[in-house]
Amino acid sequence: MTSLILRSLLLVAVVAISSGNGVRYTANWTSIDSRPLPVWYDESKIGIFVHWGVFSVPGYGQFSEWFWQSWRDAHRADEVEFMKKNYPVGFKYADFAHDFKAQFFDPDDWAEIFEASGAKYVVFTSKHHEGFCNWPSADSWNWNSVDTGPHRDLVGDLAAAVRKRKGLHFGLYHSLYEWFHPLYLKDKASGYKTQEFVFRKALPELVDLVMTYKPELIWSDGDWEAPDTYWNSTEFLAWLYNDSPVKDFVVVNDRWGNGCYCKHGGYYNCADRFTPGSLPNHKWEKCQSIDNHSWGYRRNMKLIELMDLPTIITDMVYVVALGGNYLLNIGPMEDGMISPLFEERLRGMGAWLGVNGEAIYSSKPWRVQGENTTVPVWYTSKNNTVYAILLEWPSKLLFDLTAPKTSADTNVTILDDPSVPLKWVSTAPTGLVVLMPDIMPVSPGQGWVLKLEGVV
């Protein structure tokens, strides 16, 4: 499709074919925000975020995925000095693409790791702010993964591998803006009164991704410099929800223009690593990187700068107890390998979820989200069952929970050994004392779940 055809498609979509559920969404936020969130997303709870691109070649900087901007535009001292020491005068950022070979990239290996992590969806970088496309974009000549570098369709290869795994959903990250694209800079200089970049680059590529790969989730980013009216966000979303091939199941986030996040869209990301202090009234997601310093791979990362497994489990449990989804990020190496350190964390998370996932997947926030009378406890609920997730093992065999109210039908078990009921007594007016197992079950994630049936 040419950009002109795609533009026409977007502009007429609002009055086109009826959507599957008979509801038509119009190109305004009141209508767009009224669309119910597809159920699969809330039930999934855990996702894997993957930042991979040309930025993975230098693999350096506080935020390696921002390397080009830090070096060329911000002139950050670390990146400038790194280039002086390691590359010849006249070396351009585009030259890094030749070394983005992905020679060890095996999408089936990646998909197996993602499945083993216990995640239920994957969000893969189709294009970051550098503009390099990990698929053969017709609107990004010679700056995509088929024309240069790997010479393969990275998005398509991973999408096929992920979809072989039962229960894994495939989503795409897409940056609306590109730091140095001439058309974007031209629109920016006009005060965003022109939209050449939008209609000749951003929207055609978004539509191409939807039509070609049919992502179940679109993680939009790079929106904040311009208003949503510049990006034509509501027009695109109306088409996506009404007439696209993914209209019945696609999920989107909230980054569709300056002022949109935490306000408009599907679920809310708000800021990176968003961590609310209380239960939000809207579905949300925390994106968090295992590398606390960067989303993309850093060759100079240190062990102390990475989240360990107990920290990941603690963070994930907090997010789910407050009604959120947890999107855990890794940055693969430029050659297509996932660092064994990242793989170890992902498999460890999956092992913990293999025992305790009943308290996570498809759960809902309980009337009380947590308590901390003796050890930190977070609650989730599902099908009239409450789960108390302990992030420390109690120092005494008799363990107090103050929030649950027992009944004649109350039964308490620990998910490490659900076949053996635990003894308990109620306390007035609410709460109970549980006799814990005398031997602490081994949990590398440092988290244990008490299943409380018949409590309110």
Side-chain angles (χ1 to χ4, degrees):
M1 285 189 178
T2 65
S3 296
L4 180 60
I5 294 174
L6 290 170
R7 179 178 180 176
S8 300
L9 171 65
L10 289 166
L11 291 178
V12 304
V14 182
V15 292
I17 309 166
S18 176
S19 60
N21 60 10
V23 176
R24 297 294 298 173
Y25 298 98
T26 54
N28 62 77
W29 285 120
T30 299
S31 179
I32 296 299
D33 292 343
S34 71
R35 177 181 181 258
L37 194 70
V39 174
W40 74 261
Y41 177 77
D42 181 56
E43 292 180 343
S44 295
K45 300 302 180 189
I46 312 298
I48 301 298
F49 211 179
V50 184
H51 276 70
W52 199 34
V54 171
F55 53 81
S56 306
V57 177
Y60 183 81
Q62 184 175 0
F63 301 101
S64 72
E65 70 282 359
W66 279 68
F67 184 89
W68 192 8
Q69 195 274 346
S70 298
W71 169 42
R72 172 177 162 175
D73 193 35
H75 305 292
R76 192 170 177 270
D78 283 354
E79 284 77 5
V80 171
E81 188 63 24
F82 173 83
M83 292 303 297
K84 285 182 179 179
K85 285 184 176 181
N86 296 287
Y87 296 91
V89 175
F91 189 95
K92 296 179 173 58
Y93 186 80
D95 297 329
F96 282 124
H98 301 296
D99 291 325
F100 182 39
K101 298 183 184 299
Q103 65 268 37
F104 299 130
F105 172 51
D106 185 329
D108 289 311
D109 282 353
W110 281 27
E112 187 277 325
I113 293 172
F114 300 154
E115 182 181 48
S117 76
K120 299 302 182 184
Y121 62 102
V122 176
V123 180
F124 179 63
T125 305
S126 66
K127 182 193 74 172
H128 204 262
H129 312 323
E130 65 186 10
F132 187 87
C133 296
N134 281 330
W135 84 100
S137 169
D139 297 288
S140 190
W141 178 81
N142 212 37
W143 193 233
N144 69 73
S145 63
V146 172
D147 289 347
T148 189
H151 297 293
R152 62 190 290 187
D153 181 355
L154 302 178
V155 171
D157 289 351
L158 186 60
V162 166
R163 285 171 172 149
K164 291 178 187 176
R165 304 281 171 170
K166 186 178 180 180
L168 264 185
H169 301 268
F170 184 72
L172 289 173
Y173 167 103
H174 174 269
S175 174
L176 289 171
Y177 89 148
E178 297 176 22
W179 289 314
F180 305 117
H181 195 289
L183 292 180
Y184 178 71
L185 295 178
K186 182 180 177 183
D187 286 349
K188 185 176 181 178
S190 77
Y192 300 109
K193 293 180 176 63
T194 60
Q195 293 176 285
E196 286 192 64
F197 177 76
V198 174
F199 287 118
R200 293 174 60 183
K201 187 69 163 63
L203 285 182
E205 287 187 336
L206 264 175
V207 172
D208 183 32
L209 287 169
V210 171
M211 299 300 291
T212 304
Y213 304 106
K214 300 175 179 57
E216 295 162 88
L217 188 153
I218 297 176
W219 212 101
S220 183
D221 196 18
D223 62 315
W224 56 84
E225 289 191 346
D228 64 274
T229 50
Y230 167 73
W231 297 116
N232 271 45
S233 295
T234 55
E235 287 81 359
F236 169 74
L237 291 171
W239 169 77
L240 187 73
Y241 291 170
N242 290 330
D243 305 307
S244 79
V246 296
K247 63 182 185 297
D248 295 326
F249 54 82
V250 71
V251 175
V252 304
N253 66 342
D254 57 353
R255 300 186 182 186
W256 296 100
N258 186 293
C260 282
Y261 86 35
C262 252
K263 185 177 179 181
H264 294 303
Y267 66 88
Y268 293 168
N269 285 126
C270 304
D272 290 349
R273 301 179 176 88
F274 175 59
T275 308
S278 59
L279 182 66
N281 60 6
H282 190 94
K283 183 62 188 180
W284 64 285
E285 174 188 77
K286 179 177 183 178
C287 57
Q288 171 68 49
S289 187
I290 294 176
D291 179 352
N292 283 306
H293 287 256
S294 181
W295 300 92
Y297 180 72
R298 290 188 304 133
R299 291 185 286 171
N300 61 329
M301 69 179 181
K302 299 176 181 178
L303 183 62
I304 196 173
E305 296 166 339
L306 306 183
M307 298 176 76
D308 61 18
L309 182 59
T311 302
I312 291 171
I313 299 303
T314 296
D315 200 29
M316 176 186 68
V317 166
Y318 177 87
V319 168
V320 174
L322 267 66
N325 275 26
Y326 193 60
L327 185 63
L328 187 63
N329 177 77
I330 60 167
M333 304 177 198
E334 85 288 344
D335 59 12
M337 293 298 294
I338 294 173
S339 165
L341 289 170
F342 292 156
E343 181 179 350
E344 184 269 343
R345 300 298 193 272
L346 295 184
R347 291 189 185 278
M349 181 174 72
W352 189 90
L353 287 165
V355 174
N356 301 293
E358 180 182 336
I360 301 297
Y361 304 121
S362 300
S363 67
K364 299 291 183 182
W366 194 42
R367 61 174 175 83
V368 176
Q369 286 76 64
E371 63 173 89
N372 194 14
T373 53
T374 53
V375 301
V377 176
W378 295 99
Y379 290 105
T380 61
S381 65
K382 181 170 58 180
N383 299 330
N384 299 316
T385 296
V386 175
Y387 300 91
I389 307 173
L390 287 60
L391 297 178
E392 294 177 15
W393 188 256
S395 60
K396 299 178 181 179
L397 288 178
L398 295 178
F399 176 59
D400 288 276
L401 290 172
T402 62
K405 185 176 181 179
T406 62
S407 70
D409 298 319
T410 297
N411 184 58
V412 181
T413 54
I414 188 168
L415 291 187
D416 292 89
D417 188 6
S419 63
V420 180
L422 300 179
K423 295 179 179 180
W424 59 272
V425 295
S426 62
T427 56
T430 63
L432 70 161
V433 177
V434 179
L435 179 62
M436 299 293 288
D438 54 2
I439 298 176
M440 179 184 73
V442 175
S443 176
Q446 295 296 294
W448 301 265
V449 179
L450 296 179
K451 181 177 181 178
L452 310 174
E453 298 170 283
V455 302
V456 292

